[in-house]
Amino acid sequence: MQALHTIDAKFDDANLIGSAGLVPVMRLAERAGLQQLLAERLSVSSPNAAVKAGCVVAGMVAGADSIDDLDVLRHGGMAKVVSGVRAPSTVGTFLRTFTFGHVRQLDAVSSQVLAGLAGVVPRLLAGSEAMAFVDIDDTIREVHGYKKQGVAYGYSGVKGLNAQLAVLSSPTCAPVIAASRLRKGNTVSGQGAANLAAAAIATARRAGACGQVMVRADSGYYRRDLITAARKAKAWFSVTVRMSSAVTRAIAAIPEEAWTTIKYPRAIWDQDEQRWISEAQVAETSFTAFTSARKDEQVPCRLVVRRVERLNKAAAAAGQGELFASWRHHGFVTNSRLTTVAADETHRDHAIVEQVIAELKSGALKQVTTHDYVYGLGFSADDTQVAYLPRSGTRAPFRSCLRVMDVATRSSRELVCDTQALRFTWSDIRWSPDNSEVYFQAQVDGDRNRVQLVAVDLTATKPAVRVLTDPRQQRTDA
């Protein structure tokens, strides 16, 4: 037997929908003002520009990463749940009319949509009213072909384009992208970071971050223009420094008694030493950054340093003193008013942007439940929660429990499970107007002919199933 090489798989069943999750996503985008903003702000000379731009957004959410992939919106029964879909060739022609000015218009739309989302999903940026973080980083995305505009070999040695991101988060909410730029593949990391930071901070304020904002970045962004932009926007900054001679002199001047030992709740992998570390020491000193600039452009700040004892002391750079032979130092400058230990802990959380980049590269739609099958689901009236009926077990009789998930944080809680007397199976879930109850169908004694309407009070201390219809009556499809 030999496998054929001419197989062409097609998803063409008119009654099946491959991306049903796209429906609530686009409904939420509409409530956030996406279509209206596109119609108002986008001036590209193409008819129905807002509709075509919406197709691009929907296609990307459904997993499309090329123009041809936008055909995913026309597969199967998608026409029954979405409207205004354009052919990929039409959308491709539309995108080729864009100039840099049109891209900046989309940046403005993106900023206002995020603010709109924060309005309709109140917990999207929970905690940002007290403290918000803008984390900046960039990555190289590999591309292929000789005629792609801007393609070059960047710092990673990969031929591609450079994407620069500013991610907004708080101590209690998941990160969201506040601003982004697509750049040439060989662009220096920190180039344009000042404008990106200013735009991201403005977006954060627009979205409700009325408290303190901190801009965090690694040593590739240790630049005067970035730190000046943060200070001008009345934000704190926390930026890793390069180990220049000025920095090493400042570290060497820190007295030994100034170092405080800290322990990590979870061990951290040290890439340089290829080992897990669970403790380190931190200290700080006053520092003036960018002393080569004019006096009024120099930045007085705090230099916070974390040091880890070396296992291989012979690996220290030649010419450095005994202090640097025994310890490896990681420093960053900041103007925050946090304590030394808190400032170090907060700066290390900058790694959250790397997780966002990893998720962007790995795909669009993500599985948010740990179950392999869900009987039914329903969104709350304000789209902040989703109730669903997941199936558990590897063979019949399966078990199902009602769960409610917070859309912003993706945390879920189990409310009540089915019993032999009342089975939860295939059913849409509806919410009461005040989000205090949910309603769905359940089978009495597992009998498909005795399906009844039930309710669960979400505010109860111990939620229980309440049968609303007469379980003695036979099933009706009315």
Side-chain angles (χ1 to χ4, degrees):
M1 182 180 71
Q2 184 176 1
L4 298 176
H5 296 280
T6 58
I7 297 176
D8 183 18
K10 292 184 177 180
F11 181 63
D12 55 4
D13 191 318
N15 296 314
L16 294 180
I17 298 174
S19 302
L22 185 63
V23 178
V25 172
M26 296 309 295
R27 188 177 73 174
L28 185 60
E30 184 176 351
R31 291 185 60 193
L34 175 62
Q35 287 298 323
Q36 181 179 349
L37 288 167
L38 287 171
E40 293 174 353
R41 302 299 296 267
L42 196 56
S43 64
V44 61
S45 58
S46 177
N48 300 311
V51 175
K52 295 171 184 175
C55 287
V56 177
V57 173
M60 293 173 64
V61 171
D65 59 6
S66 68
I67 292 176
D68 286 343
D69 285 351
L70 293 175
D71 208 28
V72 68
L73 300 177
R74 303 199 300 171
H75 285 171
M78 289 297 292
K80 298 179 180 180
V81 294
V82 294
S83 62
V85 176
R86 299 297 191 266
S89 58
T90 302
V91 178
T93 302
F94 161 70
L95 292 175
R96 292 184 183 95
T97 64
F98 272 59
T99 64
F100 179 72
H102 296 131
V103 174
R104 296 294 290 143
Q105 290 174 354
L106 290 181
D107 287 339
V109 170
S110 175
S111 174
Q112 291 180 289
V113 167
L114 180 56
L117 277 175
V120 298
V121 185
R123 296 187 62 191
L124 178 68
L125 296 174
S128 63
E129 67 279 359
M131 185 73 178
F133 304 107
V134 172
D135 292 284
I136 301 176
D137 204 352
D138 62 295
T139 185
I140 303 292
R141 185 61 169 170
E142 184 178 12
V143 299
H144 305 279
Y146 297 99
K147 297 183 179 180
K148 292 185 182 294
Q149 185 180 12
V151 171
Y153 287 96
Y155 56 81
S156 63
V158 173
K159 181 181 179 181
L161 297 171
N162 183 296
Q164 188 181 59
L165 302 174
V167 173
L168 174 63
S169 65
S170 80
T172 57
C173 78
V176 296
I177 297 175
S180 63
R181 299 284 188 274
L182 185 62
R183 313 181 296 174
K184 290 184 177 180
N186 57 358
T187 304
V188 176
S189 289
Q191 182 174 326
N195 290 335
L196 187 78
I201 294 171
T203 297
R205 301 292 191 199
R206 187 178 294 116
C210 53
Q212 183 62 54
V213 176
M214 174 183 281
V215 177
R216 302 184 293 200
D218 61 26
S219 59
Y221 291 83
Y222 180 56
R223 299 166 57 102
R224 179 169 50 84
D225 57 352
L226 172 62
I227 291 178
T228 300
R231 297 173 70 195
K232 186 176 180 180
K234 301 187 184 326
W236 288 347
F237 60 84
S238 182
V239 182
T240 304
V241 296
R242 292 181 284 273
M243 294 298 289
S244 64
S245 57
V247 172
T248 54
R249 285 196 301 270
I251 294 174
I254 299 176
E256 190 63 28
E257 61 271 15
W259 294 95
T260 301
T261 300
I262 59 173
K263 291 186 178 295
Y264 301 115
R266 295 182 296 273
I268 297 175
W269 177 252
D270 190 303
Q271 186 65 34
D272 293 336
E273 299 237 337
Q274 293 292 299
R275 66 184 176 102
W276 293 95
I277 58 174
S278 58
E279 70 175 31
Q281 293 183 345
V282 294
E284 72 168 90
T285 185
S286 58
F287 186 72
T288 301
F290 315 114
T291 53
S292 61
R294 297 198 314 260
K295 190 74 174 178
D296 60 340
E297 294 179 343
Q298 297 176 11
V299 180
C301 54
R302 303 162 60 194
L303 174 63
V304 180
V305 186
R306 173 170 45 92
R307 70 180 187 179
V308 179
E309 190 170 8
R310 292 183 184 272
L311 287 183
N312 182 11
K313 294 179 173 52
Q320 293 188 341
E322 182 179 348
L323 173 66
F324 293 90
S326 302
W327 301 86
R328 283 190 309 101
H329 299 79
H330 309 268
F332 62 93
V333 292
T334 183
N335 63 340
S336 75
R337 293 193 290 271
L338 301 175
T339 65
T340 305
V341 174
D344 172 70
E345 182 180 0
T346 301
H347 181 75
R348 282 188 278 115
D349 287 340
H350 166 65
I352 194 172
V353 68
E354 298 177 6
Q355 182 61 42
V356 173
I357 290 174
E359 291 180 355
L360 287 173
K361 285 185 171 182
S362 63
L365 295 180
K366 296 290 184 182
Q367 180 174 324
V368 296
T369 64
T370 57
H371 303 83
D372 59 357
Y373 196 91
V374 175
Y375 286 121
L377 58 88
F379 281 83
S380 60
D382 56 4
D383 290 325
T384 61
Q385 301 178 85
V386 57
Y388 60 102
L389 297 170
R391 187 183 73 180
S392 300
T394 57
R395 62 181 64 184
F398 299 107
R399 185 169 180 262
S400 180
C401 299
L402 174 67
R403 300 186 67 93
V404 173
M405 176 183 294
D406 183 275
V407 173
T409 64
R410 295 184 181 177
S411 60
S412 65
R413 57 193 176 102
E414 186 176 280
L415 298 178
V416 63
C417 296
D418 64 359
T419 63
Q420 181 60 41
L422 207 58
R423 288 290 187 188
F424 305 163
T425 55
W426 297 276
S427 175
D428 290 334
I429 300 178
R430 297 289 185 267
W431 291 66
S432 62
D434 61 357
N435 292 340
S436 63
E437 283 191 324
V438 293
Y439 311 95
F440 55 95
Q441 294 174 323
Q443 296 177 359
V444 177
D445 295 329
D447 186 352
R448 295 185 179 182
N449 291 318
R450 297 172 63 196
V451 178
Q452 304 300 325
L453 182 63
V454 300
V456 175
D457 184 356
L458 304 181
T459 64
T461 305
K462 293 184 178 180
V465 177
R466 186 173 79 258
V467 179
L468 301 179
T469 51
D470 189 348
R472 295 170 297 181
Q473 298 293 324
Q474 293 294 306
R475 170 182 177 177
T476 64
D477 295 322

